[in-house]
Amino acid sequence: MCLNYKPLFIAAAALWTAACSAGFLGLAPAGDRKEYVQARDLYNSGQYDRAITDLTEYIYKTKNVKRREARAYRLLGASYEQQNNLSKALEVYLEALEFHPNNTPLLAAAANLYQQTGLTNRSIELYDRVLTQEPNNLDALSGQAANYSAMGFYSKARQTYDHFFELNPTADARHRARYAETFLRQRNFENAFINITMALTDNAQNPDFWRLSAYARQGLGQPQEALQDLEAALLLAPGRLDLLAQKALWLYKDGDYKNSLAAAAQILKQQPDNQLAQFIQAMNWYRLGKKDASKKQLEKISQTDADTFVGRVAAELLTFLPHK
């Protein structure tokens, strides 16, 4: 007997189409793909609230766990990140990893959030999982190097950065600056200066790059050049109190008490209760012969908050000042 295969083929094709539409074979139905694309477009246009609403509905509206695909979770977490809701974003990524435990973009995203929230050990663990699967993953390498640096493992951080730069020699200047900082932390000022100069060659508009260059120059015994670099940083970020405080301290160290006093006054104009600026002010007054004013300032500092480092130093200095 001769069978007619054409009707059988048509029937099989119909069953396949129905199966895909229902999603029971694990493939995303056509409607699902459209919903995801719409949510992605909302995200790309900056409509994060709507993207979150649509993605949440997309992921949870049926019992079909195949909707809980990694890309949807990743986009939902990224939407929360854009809203600076890091705890919710991390919650999304951790749930996603229950369904996709080896998905490297999700692992890297969660590791990055752990890093931002100071949970460095957990971040290291997740980046290790990424690098086990993808030893050349650039995001994981740079993230892990930053983790090692934060933990004080500077040599290990540099080894990781070395691998990162081998794979990505034109990496963003911020990575070179972080690499430079690992040398600075170990007082290797020469290599710190070489690398921060490379970062400044790529991006001279970052005040923190100039700050690092200033520290390296100070360590190399170039106080005037260090102050020049600090001034460059202040031109880019004139309101940065940490830069002003460093300038005031270096000027005091160089014996330029009047300009040090002026830098401290700039800080106190913005923050009248800034304890470090008050301390610098007191030290300059003492050097300029205003010893009574200096002593009163130190007493004020030590009495206001004796538990801070500056408060303790002020109290200690008072024991050496002559009593009337």
Side-chain angles (χ1 to χ4, degrees):
M1 183 173 75
C2 184
L3 292 174
N4 185 347
Y5 288 98
K6 188 173 182 180
L8 291 174
F9 175 80
I10 292 172
L15 283 171
W16 176 265
T17 301
C20 289
S21 298
F24 79 84
L25 292 179
L27 302 178
D32 283 3
R33 290 194 297 272
K34 183 178 179 181
E35 290 172 16
Y36 172 80
V37 170
Q38 288 174 343
R40 184 190 63 195
D41 290 344
L42 288 169
Y43 175 88
N44 289 335
S45 64
Q47 300 181 68
Y48 305 120
D49 283 332
R50 289 185 60 194
I52 287 170
T53 299
D54 286 8
L55 285 163
T56 301
E57 182 180 352
Y58 173 72
I59 293 171
Y60 298 112
K61 71 179 180 181
T62 73
K63 294 181 180 180
N64 181 4
V65 295
K66 293 299 180 183
R67 286 179 180 270
R68 301 193 176 193
E69 55 195 82
R71 64 176 184 172
Y73 274 116
R74 181 68 185 91
L75 195 60
L76 179 58
S79 298
Y80 280 118
E81 285 190 69
Q82 290 293 338
Q83 294 185 327
N84 203 34
N85 191 344
L86 302 188
S87 61
K88 188 63 178 179
L90 184 57
E91 180 183 316
V92 168
Y93 293 142
L94 294 180
E95 178 181 311
L97 287 169
E98 293 180 13
F99 294 94
H100 309 280
N102 297 315
N103 184 277
T104 53
L106 287 172
L107 285 167
N112 178 55
L113 286 186
Y114 276 129
Q115 185 181 76
Q116 289 186 56
T117 53
L119 297 171
T120 309
N121 284 328
R122 184 65 175 135
S123 180
I124 287 174
E125 179 187 334
L126 293 189
Y127 275 135
D128 273 344
R129 287 170 60 183
V130 175
L131 291 169
T132 297
Q133 298 180 68
E134 299 177 13
N136 295 335
N137 186 297
L138 294 176
D139 287 338
L141 286 168
S142 62
Q144 197 69 301
N147 279 332
Y148 289 145
S149 184
M151 296 288 285
F153 304 144
Y154 302 120
S155 296
K156 198 169 184 179
R158 286 197 294 274
Q159 289 175 4
T160 309
Y161 274 128
D162 287 340
H163 187 194
F164 173 80
F165 289 130
E166 285 174 10
L167 297 169
N168 190 17
T170 59
D172 189 277
R174 71 182 187 278
H175 299 296
R176 184 64 63 177
R178 291 171 183 166
Y179 184 66
E181 192 165 10
T182 65
F183 287 109
L184 196 61
R185 295 288 185 181
Q186 292 188 307
R187 304 182 64 79
N188 185 336
F189 301 115
E190 183 176 355
N191 277 315
F193 182 68
I194 289 170
N195 282 280
I196 197 58
T197 300
M198 292 171 66
L200 281 166
T201 300
D202 290 341
N203 179 5
Q205 301 304 308
N206 189 314
D208 282 316
F209 293 0
W210 287 105
R211 176 181 59 83
L212 290 174
S213 181
Y215 289 156
R217 284 187 183 273
Q218 188 71 221
L220 289 169
Q222 302 171 3
Q224 294 306 311
E225 291 85 351
L227 277 169
Q228 289 171 8
D229 284 353
L230 206 57
E231 291 288 3
L234 280 164
L235 282 174
L236 294 167
R240 284 271 299 269
L241 301 186
D242 61 321
L243 298 176
L244 282 169
Q246 191 62 67
K247 177 183 175 181
L249 287 167
W250 283 351
L251 287 168
Y252 175 82
K253 179 183 175 184
D254 292 341
D256 192 348
Y257 306 123
K258 289 184 178 179
N259 283 321
S260 176
L261 197 59
Q266 285 183 265
I267 299 171
L268 292 169
K269 187 176 180 179
Q270 296 183 58
Q271 283 188 358
D273 295 328
N274 187 295
Q275 207 176 42
L276 177 58
Q278 291 173 348
F279 179 80
I280 295 169
Q281 194 178 53
M283 296 298 292
N284 281 298
W285 280 340
Y286 188 85
R287 292 294 185 178
L288 291 169
K290 299 179 180 180
K291 296 185 178 180
D292 287 342
S294 175
K295 184 177 180 182
K296 288 179 182 178
Q297 184 81 307
L298 291 173
E299 288 172 345
K300 177 184 174 183
I301 293 168
S302 63
Q303 291 168 4
T304 300
D305 196 344
D307 293 330
T308 65
F309 174 76
V310 175
R312 293 196 301 271
V313 173
E316 185 69 19
L317 284 175
L318 282 169
T319 64
F320 292 98
L321 294 180
H323 298 280
K324 290 186 177 180

